Amino acid sequence: MTGSDEGRRPPRLAEYVLRLLVGSDAEGRSILGDAREELDVRGRTSRLGATIWYWAYVFKFAVSYRTGGKVRHPDPEEGRRRASAVTGLVWDAKSSTRSLLRRPWLSIAVITTLAVGIGTTTLAFALVDGVLLRPLPFPAPEELVDVSRVDPAWYGPNPTAAQAGNVFATPAATFFDWERSAATFSSLGAYAWRSGTFSGDAAPERIIGAVATGGVFEALAVPAALGRHLTASDEAPGATPVVVLSHGLWVRRFGSDATIVGRVVRMDGVATTVVGVMPKGFAFPDETTHFWLAFDDERRSDSTRNAGYLHAIGRLAPGSSLAQARAEMTAIQTRLGERHASEAKFISVAFSRHELMVAATRPGLLILLGAAAVVLLVGCANVANLLLARVAERRRELALHAALGASRSRLAGLLLSESTVLAVLGGVGGITLAWVALRPFVAAFPMTLPRSAEIQMDLRVLVVSLLVSVAAGLLLGLLPVARSSRMDLNVVLREGGHGSTGGRRTSRTHALLVVSEVALSVLLLSTSGIFVQSYLNSARQERGFRGENVLALRVSVPDTRAGSEEELRSFYSELQGYMDAIPGVTASALAQQMPYSGCCSSPPASMDTEDGVQEASVHTSSVTPEYFQAMGVPILAGRALLPSDREGSPPVVVVSEAMARRYWPDADPIGKRVRLESTDEPQWHEVVGIAGNVRYQFAGPEFVEYYRAFAQHPYGSQAVILKTRSGAVGVAAAAERAVHALEPTIPVTARSLTELAAADREYRTARIGSLILTLLAAVATGLAVLGVYSVLAFSVLQRTREIGIRVSLGGSRLGILRAVLGGGLVMTGAGVAIGLGLSAGLSTMLRSGLVGVSTVNPWVVLAVVSTMFATSVAASLLPAWRAVRVDPLVAFRED
């Protein structure tokens, strides 16, 4: 070799692989030397071409020149013999296919079982990947940080990301102080939810959007698809109202009009200029947001600090970290508390945007992924039992192959080939099932899964599914290979295939697999049981109102009709008159907030208690006197609001029983005082009554709240509540016509309170989540029961001769029946005991998210144990019946 050879060394990894293949003997060194010389010749023409040739040579050598475990020198004269390896692989594939086709039902059972397990796991991983693992679709998403102002009296000194994500309580004045003082952020913006009515160009439509500062879009760093996004200039005093549209709204309502930028649309009756359209896929704060309005003069100049509605998002400055941002925001908030008394009780919290978005969903998705993995494990255990039984059946066939010269490695390759083919086919079926089910599954959670538009079956998910399939094939093939390697093939041939199939070791292996199946199934059954019990407990909770035959309409008066409080009173008074005249309506009422409305109002308030004035944020709603009758909310003490509680009369409130207990536990609340903190001069309200507690959400607590008289505190957005006679028809359409008769631009849809309850986010999550876990548990249980049946059926089949001998010697058929049934019950009992132990530990970890469910629920345990033993007995009956009916003469004749 010359010195130039050092510059043309083979690729190190390729040479290492080739050295492993050829060994270190003289023949191996000769092959390595020949390959290097050929590389040197080819490298004189093209270095890249020589490298490609060397890799191709290694690959070709690995495939074509390895026979019988011994490496041969690639001499062209021995090409036919070297090609025998390829022929062997083809033979293995053909033999595996023929073997699987000879037992089609077994193959179908294995493929179907694997398809269900792999499909379920693939679907769950697609959800976890799309929601939890993918980075946010923004440039440098790890730099995005959400900041909130939180009251520790409500959330504790260390609020979680899930809690902080629901807090929109930062006042505009506080945010602008943050914006001026924060140095760890290159940009900082604030936003809040905002619904608006688009009108003028088409039918009026109420659409969900947001109000935001320009800093939000600077932080997100996503340019507009058309025009521009909001900037700081849009917030200047006297600036023209502007709006940015989402891509979906632009397509749906404006027909993808490329000239939309600069067009004036009407938002809540106000002329607003469209300045931009965001690109497709842009979703902020989430997919339900379809427009973004700039801060108006009123919001910009709001100096109130005791009530807020904003949430902030920022982008970390270069060199800054999340820990530094948290420390800085804490220091800023402390300084604000020193300057403003109303800021002193609040703290600031900061979390990464990704953590904040997925915090509430992470536990549920991980539980789903774990449940899917349990189904896959149960399916694999079942398939392993079937393949082991298949090896036992084929022991004579394998012995004949060995007698004809097949090595044990060739037999192992054949068995691995069969399991791999089955796993690949099961994987294809599983991927197909997941692909078909993904969209309907995501559609079932449209308001509960963040980033739902990013959930898809892409290359990442397919690669994971493929890896799971290959791993399943290899693992499932190892047990049959290990079993065949322990067989004494000479003994099998002498016994004619009717000898032992492995004895006690084989039986223990089958039993261990079945016990593991049952244990995992019990774990999943118990988990689904406690979730179902939690859901039922939530559904049975007293709501505090009667929602039967109640309709609700959300009405928002346009700014052009809401110039003063007197105009609002006049508008809603006239509207109630229309509603009362509708046939079938027995009562109508107004409420600022109502159950299942998806929002609440908890401004700061002061309570005059026995221990002095206490301040807190308390839920409140402005209602008309008819509200309590229409909703069926009982008045427990004092009186309800009256028509005489109007403007100019002494302000009054009705408090909930929970509020009375909290602030006046040892005194009569009637006659006490409550003061709403607002920008207006605070005024004390006298407590005139105590109402029953109301739950505003499916799994929510009883609210501490107070009701104010609508006539004394009118608001532009109200829920119109209609109590109707049972069976009344046409009320909803008549109510919508009544609204449009007063103001045609108001979009409105009447829905029953039952419909609103069914659409509640927490209700849907609990109901669908419980249903999915129950279905997965049912699948796992079915597979476990099939495992019990297959093991007992195989055992009876293999022991037919033994049973025949016992019967011919006077053995009791009842004893045989008891033995078979007892075997199934013993395996089931062991699995149930292990599974209950596992479920007790898991339920302890899940207890915080459950309603009224203890660590070990006796009813759930009883249901799970009964289900497993009942299904196991049913699975054992057929094998037991076959054992009892064994004819000794037939058994001896088959032998």
Side-chain angles (χ1 to χ4, degrees):
M1 295 290 180
T2 65
S4 62
D5 291 332
E6 296 301 324
R8 299 189 183 91
R9 287 186 58 85
R12 292 188 177 182
L13 179 59
E15 187 179 38
Y16 176 74
V17 172
L18 184 59
R19 186 177 292 111
L20 290 178
L21 292 172
V22 302
S24 58
D25 56 9
E27 186 177 13
R29 291 195 299 271
S30 175
I31 294 173
L32 287 168
D34 291 345
R36 179 173 292 192
E37 288 181 4
E38 181 67 21
L39 176 72
D40 179 49
V41 173
R42 293 176 178 270
R44 296 168 186 170
T45 305
S46 171
R47 188 180 183 87
L48 177 61
T51 301
I52 295 174
W53 171 87
Y54 195 93
W55 272 107
Y57 176 81
V58 173
F59 178 76
K60 181 180 178 182
F61 189 91
V63 173
S64 303
Y65 298 99
R66 188 174 179 86
T67 60
K70 182 179 179 181
V71 177
R72 305 283 184 177
H73 192 284
D75 189 343
E77 295 180 0
E78 298 184 1
R80 293 181 180 180
R81 283 192 297 165
R82 294 164 187 159
S84 63
V86 177
T87 304
L89 292 174
V90 174
W91 180 87
D92 283 348
K94 291 182 178 179
S95 179
S96 299
T97 304
R98 287 195 301 268
S99 177
L100 297 175
L101 291 177
R102 281 199 299 269
R103 295 294 300 274
W105 293 113
L106 175 66
S107 301
I108 291 173
V110 170
I111 293 172
T112 302
T113 300
L114 290 176
V116 171
I118 294 173
T120 303
T121 307
T122 301
L123 177 61
F125 178 76
L127 298 175
V128 170
D129 179 61
V131 177
L132 303 183
L133 303 182
R134 289 180 181 276
L136 297 178
F138 305 110
E142 69 281 357
E143 297 176 358
L144 293 176
V145 176
D146 277 53
V147 185
S148 302
R149 192 188 75 161
V150 176
D151 186 350
W154 281 65
Y155 300 101
N158 298 301
T160 64
Q163 292 172 328
N166 292 322
V167 176
F168 283 73
T170 302
T174 302
F175 164 73
F176 291 127
D177 283 335
W178 289 356
E179 187 180 36
R180 286 188 291 267
S181 304
T184 54
F185 294 99
S186 60
S187 55
L188 187 66
Y191 64 94
W193 295 105
R194 166 77 148 81
S195 60
T197 300
F198 279 77
S199 61
D201 59 315
E205 181 181 6
R206 194 74 178 172
I207 301 174
I208 297 176
V211 57
T213 67
V216 170
F217 292 91
E218 292 178 14
L220 298 177
V222 176
L226 292 177
R228 62 174 177 84
H229 52 60
L230 300 178
T231 63
S233 61
D234 297 321
E235 305 159 23
T240 301
V242 296
V243 64
V244 175
L245 306 178
S246 72
H247 184 274
L249 180 61
W250 173 59
V251 171
R252 179 176 58 80
R253 187 171 179 93
F254 300 98
S256 303
D257 186 359
T259 64
I260 188 67
V261 176
R263 182 187 300 183
V264 176
V265 298
R266 302 202 71 80
M267 287 280 297
D268 294 328
V270 177
T272 308
T273 303
V274 178
V275 295
V277 177
M278 296 306 292
K280 185 177 182 180
F282 179 85
F284 183 85
D286 61 25
E287 292 88 347
T288 64
T289 310
H290 296 294
F291 68 85
W292 298 267
L293 288 171
F295 270 36
D296 54 26
D297 292 349
E298 181 180 355
R299 296 179 188 272
R300 186 81 186 183
S301 60
D302 188 359
S303 60
T304 305
R305 291 185 179 272
N306 56 5
Y309 57 92
L310 297 174
H311 192 95
I313 183 172
R315 180 173 291 274
L316 293 173
S320 299
S321 66
L322 177 59
Q324 292 172 327
R326 285 173 171 167
E328 181 185 47
M329 294 307 300
T330 298
I332 292 174
Q333 188 61 37
T334 300
R335 291 196 297 270
L336 289 178
E338 294 170 352
R339 293 201 301 265
H340 306 281
S342 56
E343 295 275 12
K345 66 178 180 179
F346 293 101
I347 60 174
S348 64
V349 294
F351 294 93
S352 71
R353 177 67 183 172
H354 184 271
E355 181 183 6
L356 199 81
M357 288 185 65
V358 305
T361 314
R362 179 183 283 111
L365 288 178
L366 294 181
I367 290 173
L368 175 63
L369 182 61
V374 168
V375 172
L376 178 59
L377 289 174
V378 173
C380 287
N382 206 342
V383 170
N385 253 331
L386 294 175
L387 294 181
L388 286 175
R390 175 64 173 149
V391 169
E393 285 184 349
R394 299 173 60 192
R395 62 192 185 281
R396 180 172 174 80
E397 174 192 340
L398 296 175
L400 288 173
H401 281 304
L404 294 175
S407 64
R408 287 190 179 271
S409 61
R410 172 57 63 85
L411 296 179
L414 178 61
L415 294 175
L416 282 174
S417 175
E418 291 182 6
S419 65
T420 303
V421 169
L422 290 172
V424 169
L425 292 177
V428 171
I431 292 173
T432 304
L433 287 175
W435 198 299
V436 172
L438 182 60
R439 283 300 109 196
F441 191 90
V442 173
F445 294 89
M447 297 295 292
T448 57
L449 279 179
R451 310 176 64 190
S452 58
E454 300 173 51
I455 300 173
Q456 55 186 323
M457 291 285 294
D458 62 0
L459 182 61
R460 285 160 54 108
V461 178
L462 294 179
V463 168
V464 170
S465 183
L466 179 61
L467 292 176
V468 169
S469 302
V470 173
L474 293 176
L475 292 175
L476 291 173
L478 290 179
L479 278 176
V481 168
R483 172 67 54 78
S484 66
S485 67
R486 290 196 298 266
M487 286 182 182
D488 190 335
L489 302 179
N490 292 322
V491 173
V492 172
L493 288 176
R494 286 199 304 269
E495 293 179 348
H498 297 283
S500 171
T501 62
R504 292 183 178 180
R505 179 179 293 179
T506 298
S507 300
R508 284 198 299 267
T509 303
H510 285 292
L512 181 61
L513 288 171
V514 171
V515 168
S516 64
E517 290 183 61
V518 173
L520 291 173
S521 300
V522 168
L523 173 63
L524 199 49
L525 273 175
S526 299
T527 304
S528 66
I530 62 176
F531 272 91
V532 169
Q533 185 64 45
S534 174
Y535 163 72
L536 294 177
N537 289 342
S538 297
R540 285 194 292 260
Q541 287 183 127
E542 179 59 44
R543 303 290 158 190
F545 60 88
R546 295 190 297 273
E548 300 82 6
N549 303 314
V550 175
L551 291 176
L553 308 83
R554 174 59 66 176
V555 175
S556 295
V557 181
D559 292 345
T560 54
R561 295 287 302 269
S564 66
E565 290 187 352
E566 186 56 40
E567 288 179 322
L568 287 176
R569 294 188 190 97
S570 175
F571 176 88
Y572 279 112
S573 175
E574 188 175 1
L575 179 60
Q576 270 197 274
Y578 277 103
M579 296 299 178
D580 290 334
I582 297 175
V585 173
T586 59
S588 68
L590 303 176
Q592 179 191 1
Q593 307 293 340
M594 64 173 297
Y596 308 123
S597 62
C599 60
C600 60
S601 177
S602 300
S606 298
M607 278 62 66
D608 185 13
T609 71
E610 299 296 307
D611 299 325
V613 175
Q614 293 188 28
E615 296 183 355
S617 296
V618 182
H619 185 263
T620 184
S621 181
S622 178
V623 302
T624 57
E626 302 84 7
Y627 172 81
F628 302 98
Q629 176 190 355
M631 289 291 291
V633 178
I635 299 297
L636 305 179
R639 67 171 176 87
L641 298 174
L642 300 175
S644 58
D645 298 321
R646 51 186 308 108
E647 69 279 8
S649 63
V652 296
V653 296
V654 172
V655 301
S656 69
E657 184 182 12
M659 183 172 178
R661 285 198 307 265
R662 174 172 295 185
Y663 296 106
W664 301 281
D666 301 318
D668 184 2
I670 305 300
K672 301 299 182 182
R673 298 184 303 168
V674 176
R675 180 173 62 192
L676 175 67
E677 308 290 357
S678 65
T679 54
D680 303 326
E681 183 177 352
Q683 188 176 21
W684 287 102
H685 293 57
E686 181 184 356
V687 177
V688 297
I690 302 175
N693 296 324
V694 172
R695 296 182 190 274
Y696 280 71
Q697 296 170 320
F698 172 72
E702 295 174 330
F703 267 35
V704 174
E705 65 177 328
Y706 60 96
Y707 302 91
R708 294 169 292 152
F710 169 79
Q712 295 176 344
H713 299 277
Y715 282 85
S717 178
Q718 293 287 320
V720 181
I721 300 167
L722 304 179
K723 181 69 174 179
T724 66
R725 288 195 299 269
S726 178
V729 296
V731 175
E736 293 174 16
R737 288 195 298 269
V739 173
H740 290 151
L742 279 176
E743 179 54 60
T745 64
I746 297 179
V748 63
T749 301
R751 301 180 68 185
S752 70
L753 211 57
T754 304
E755 290 180 272
L756 292 174
D760 180 74
R761 169 182 291 193
E762 293 186 353
Y763 170 79
R764 293 184 63 184
T765 301
R767 178 171 59 87
I768 298 176
S770 299
L771 177 62
I772 291 171
L773 280 179
T774 302
L775 289 176
L776 292 178
V779 171
T781 302
L783 293 174
V785 171
L786 180 61
V788 173
Y789 165 78
S790 62
V791 167
L792 293 179
F794 176 72
S795 176
V796 170
L797 179 64
Q798 296 299 316
R799 296 173 59 194
T800 300
R801 183 170 179 269
E802 174 191 340
I803 295 173
I805 293 174
R806 291 180 60 181
V807 172
S808 65
L809 294 177
S812 169
R813 292 185 182 271
L814 181 59
I816 295 172
L817 178 65
R818 284 200 301 265
V820 177
L821 289 177
L825 292 177
V826 167
M827 290 186 293
T828 302
V832 167
I834 297 173
L836 289 178
L838 294 174
S839 63
L842 181 61
S843 61
T844 301
M845 294 187 292
L846 300 176
R847 183 172 48 189
S848 61
L850 303 174
V851 177
V853 179
S854 59
T855 303
V856 178
N857 189 304
W859 295 108
V860 172
V861 172
L862 179 61
V864 170
V865 172
S866 301
T867 299
M868 288 307 305
F869 276 103
T871 52
S872 294
V873 169
S876 306
L877 284 177
L878 183 56
W881 180 250
R882 287 177 177 171
V884 170
R885 292 175 59 87
V886 168
D887 187 339
L889 295 178
V890 175
F892 293 145
R893 188 183 307 124
E894 290 180 352
D895 188 44

